[in-house]
Amino acid sequence: MRSLLIRNKKSAGLDEALGLVPQQQPRMFSCVSGFWVLLSACLLAVCSFSFLSPAWIVRSVDTEGQEPVSFGLLWHCSDNLELRSGCYAFGGLGRFNDIPSSSWQTSAVLCSGGCALLVMSCLLAIVTLFLPTSLCERRLCTLAGYMQTAAVFIMASGLLVYPFGLNSTTVKKYCENSSIYYAGDCQIGWGYMLAIVGVMLSVFLPFFAKYAPKEHTTPTPLPTIL
């Protein structure tokens, strides 16, 4: 028995000396994790830009000489020839209650909360790139995936709630005959459509987070020739 153990040790040492046994080295990067981080950063930029845009509801110039008007979550833009043209926040900064509809207030809270979750999950994804394969890395990836899942549901809820604000008196002033989920004389702008595309693509982030952790592949043992 002792001679058999000595023979196995010698054969294992010979395999290592000849390089037949591959050495496991901790990997600091993988294609899936890199793509996950890149996609998270891109979708964060898309969602943030769309939520800050003032072109969710748009009324273009028509034959009656009405000025173009656009609404966003927090902004209102007009091009009135008599008044000074430009964009301004609803009620100014710090006056959240001046947003013309409670539905838009709810949508603003939900969308901003979803963006905050995307920011934190993106930071966690970047941190995992510099961590070796460990339980901590897997837990961070799992936590980031859960945060991205919650962000998708929250932002999608905000997008569904926003059209209820078309029934408000402020919107009806510019978009005649508007009602819930009907823009009347106005139309859906590129900002709202971009937000929908960003949220739809964010659905794939939790799936990439599941396969983002770097794991060692167990090498196939070579048969020992006695």
Side-chain angles (χ1 to χ4, degrees):
M1 184 66 180
R2 182 177 181 181
S3 61
L4 181 59
L5 292 175
I6 295 174
R7 183 183 302 175
N8 290 336
K9 289 182 180 179
K10 289 182 178 180
S11 61
L14 180 61
D15 292 340
E16 291 180 359
L18 295 176
L20 298 178
V21 179
Q23 299 293 327
Q24 293 184 0
Q25 298 293 336
R27 294 183 297 173
M28 299 297 293
F29 187 82
S30 68
C31 295
V32 177
S33 60
F35 181 78
W36 175 48
V37 172
L38 180 62
L39 185 62
S40 299
C42 292
L43 292 179
L44 171 61
V46 169
C47 292
S48 300
F49 179 73
S50 61
F51 291 152
L52 293 177
S53 69
W56 283 39
I57 302 297
V58 178
R59 187 187 69 182
S60 58
V61 181
D62 56 12
T63 57
E64 297 179 0
Q66 296 177 343
E67 72 276 3
V69 177
S70 62
F71 294 94
L73 273 179
L74 301 173
W75 296 90
H76 166 61
C77 295
S78 63
D79 191 12
N80 196 331
L81 298 178
E82 299 178 357
L83 302 176
R84 187 177 180 180
S85 303
C87 300
Y88 60 90
F90 287 118
L93 297 178
R95 299 177 63 182
F96 183 77
N97 292 329
D98 287 343
I99 296 178
S101 172
S102 59
S103 301
W104 286 9
Q105 295 176 4
T106 304
S107 180
V109 172
L110 293 174
C111 291
S112 59
C115 282
L117 288 176
L118 285 182
V119 170
M120 292 185 289
S121 63
C122 186
L123 293 177
L124 289 178
I126 295 175
V127 170
T128 57
L129 287 179
F130 302 96
L131 293 178
T133 304
S134 62
L135 181 60
C136 179
E137 183 215 9
R138 290 192 293 271
R139 287 180 176 177
L140 286 180
C141 290
T142 303
L143 177 60
Y146 286 147
M147 294 174 67
Q148 290 172 343
T149 303
V152 169
F153 281 104
I154 291 175
M155 292 186 298
S157 300
L159 295 179
L160 292 175
V161 169
Y162 183 81
F164 284 87
L166 296 174
N167 198 29
S168 64
T169 56
T170 302
V171 179
K172 286 184 175 181
K173 177 182 177 181
Y174 296 96
C175 306
E176 296 181 0
N177 301 321
S178 63
S179 60
I180 297 176
Y181 279 91
Y182 178 68
D185 294 341
C186 299
Q187 57 186 356
I188 302 299
W190 61 266
Y192 188 73
M193 299 302 297
L194 184 62
I196 293 176
V197 173
V199 172
M200 290 178 62
L201 293 178
S202 299
V203 175
F204 297 98
L205 291 178
F207 295 98
F208 287 106
K210 181 179 180 181
Y211 299 100
K214 303 174 287 293
E215 296 181 356
H216 290 299
T217 55
T218 305
T220 303
L222 298 175
T224 304
I225 301 177
L226 299 177

